[in-house]
Amino acid sequence: AAGEHEMDASIMEGRGLNAGAVASVARIRNPIDLAAKVMTDSEHVMLVGEGAEEFARQQGFAMTDSDYFHTEFRWQQLQRIKEKEARQKKVTDQDQHDQWFSTVGAVALDQRGNLAAATSTGGTSNKRWGRVGDSPIIGAGTYASNHSCAVSATGHGEYFIRHVVAYDICKRVELGSSLAEAADVVINGILKEAGGSGGVIA
Ligand code: ASP
């Protein structure tokens, strides 16, 4: 909403439930690398804002300026939402939908059966300064456990946080659901009924 960029990212290994996350970082070129560093080289799971950037500097990450994150597509999206707000028009479902498409997710399974998931995002367009979505929240936007599955989510983050979507899918798989069934129940059932939308790769 302030015309700036803030990124969130998280990564999780299914073998030991190791995880790392960063939120509200503005100057890290690849926030997912920093999330991985939090996982492997700190005793914490999540670092945010200036604290995360200080950790990045200590770990030798190069800082980048905000131009690097500018894309015309997202800038125009923001302008459309702001114009609509200025005309005091109701923000529709389509506008909500237009707010995403910035998220990158990945899940992986290696030859030994180890799972991993990672999610990285610029968040929703026109988000408030300091707003953090589901992407860096372990259990909401990202989850991996060798006992079940690996999930990375995209969509209306507030709903994914409230419904702990990634963990819920994994727990259902652990209890015997197929992956497709678990994802369908959570995304097309629970999330949709609550008014949220989005998707997962799992
Ligand atoms: N889930 C992200 C968030 O709410 C947005 C997205 O998937 O594009 O921050």
Side-chain angles (χ1 to χ4, degrees):
E4 307 285 338
H5 306 94
E6 282 187 350
M7 278 71 65
D8 305 327
S10 67
I11 186 164
M12 185 166 191
E13 288 178 345
R15 189 169 56 168
L17 303 186
N18 291 319
V22 293
S24 294
V25 293
R27 309 208 299 125
I28 310 297
R29 207 176 174 97
N30 296 108
I32 196 66
D33 288 343
L34 187 58
K37 205 71 179 166
V38 171
M39 176 173 74
T40 57
D41 287 76
S42 85
E43 71 265 37
H44 305 300
V45 169
M46 183 188 262
L47 294 175
V48 305
E50 285 175 23
E53 292 186 352
E54 186 185 270
F55 174 72
R57 268 189 293 271
Q58 286 166 355
Q59 296 292 328
F61 280 70
M63 299 288 143
T64 191
D65 57 38
S66 68
D67 291 352
Y68 174 73
F69 302 107
H70 180 88
T71 69
E72 201 47 34
F73 174 72
R74 296 282 284 176
W75 181 251
Q76 292 307 330
Q77 225 175 35
L78 176 64
Q79 302 318 311
R80 280 200 299 277
I81 294 170
K82 288 218 172 282
E83 273 164 32
K84 211 155 189 188
E85 264 184 358
R87 284 187 273 125
Q88 297 192 317
K89 282 257 172 76
K90 196 174 170 301
V91 177
T92 63
D93 283 353
Q94 186 56 42
D95 298 323
Q96 297 279 13
H97 205 258
D98 279 352
Q99 292 185 23
W100 321 326
F101 306 120
S102 67
T103 296
V104 179
V107 292
L109 170 66
D110 76 9
Q111 288 179 327
R112 298 195 180 98
N114 294 311
L115 286 161
T119 313
S120 182
T121 191
T124 49
S125 293
N126 204 32
K127 66 186 181 184
R128 272 190 91 94
W129 179 42
R131 178 267 189 188
V132 174
D134 59 313
S135 308
I137 298 183
I138 298 301
T142 305
Y143 199 77
S145 166
N146 281 8
H147 299 297
S148 53
C149 61
V151 175
S152 172
T154 183
H156 196 157
E158 281 69 11
Y159 288 87
F160 282 74
I161 295 171
R162 289 190 199 109
H163 295 279
V164 205
V165 163
Y167 179 77
D168 191 6
I169 293 172
C170 288
K171 198 67 196 173
R172 285 166 193 271
V173 169
E174 194 176 326
L175 295 175
S177 269
S178 71
L179 181 56
E181 186 191 358
D184 188 45
V185 167
V186 175
I187 299 297
N188 297 323
I190 296 172
L191 198 79
K192 213 171 186 176
E193 273 162 34
S197 51
V200 292
I201 55 167

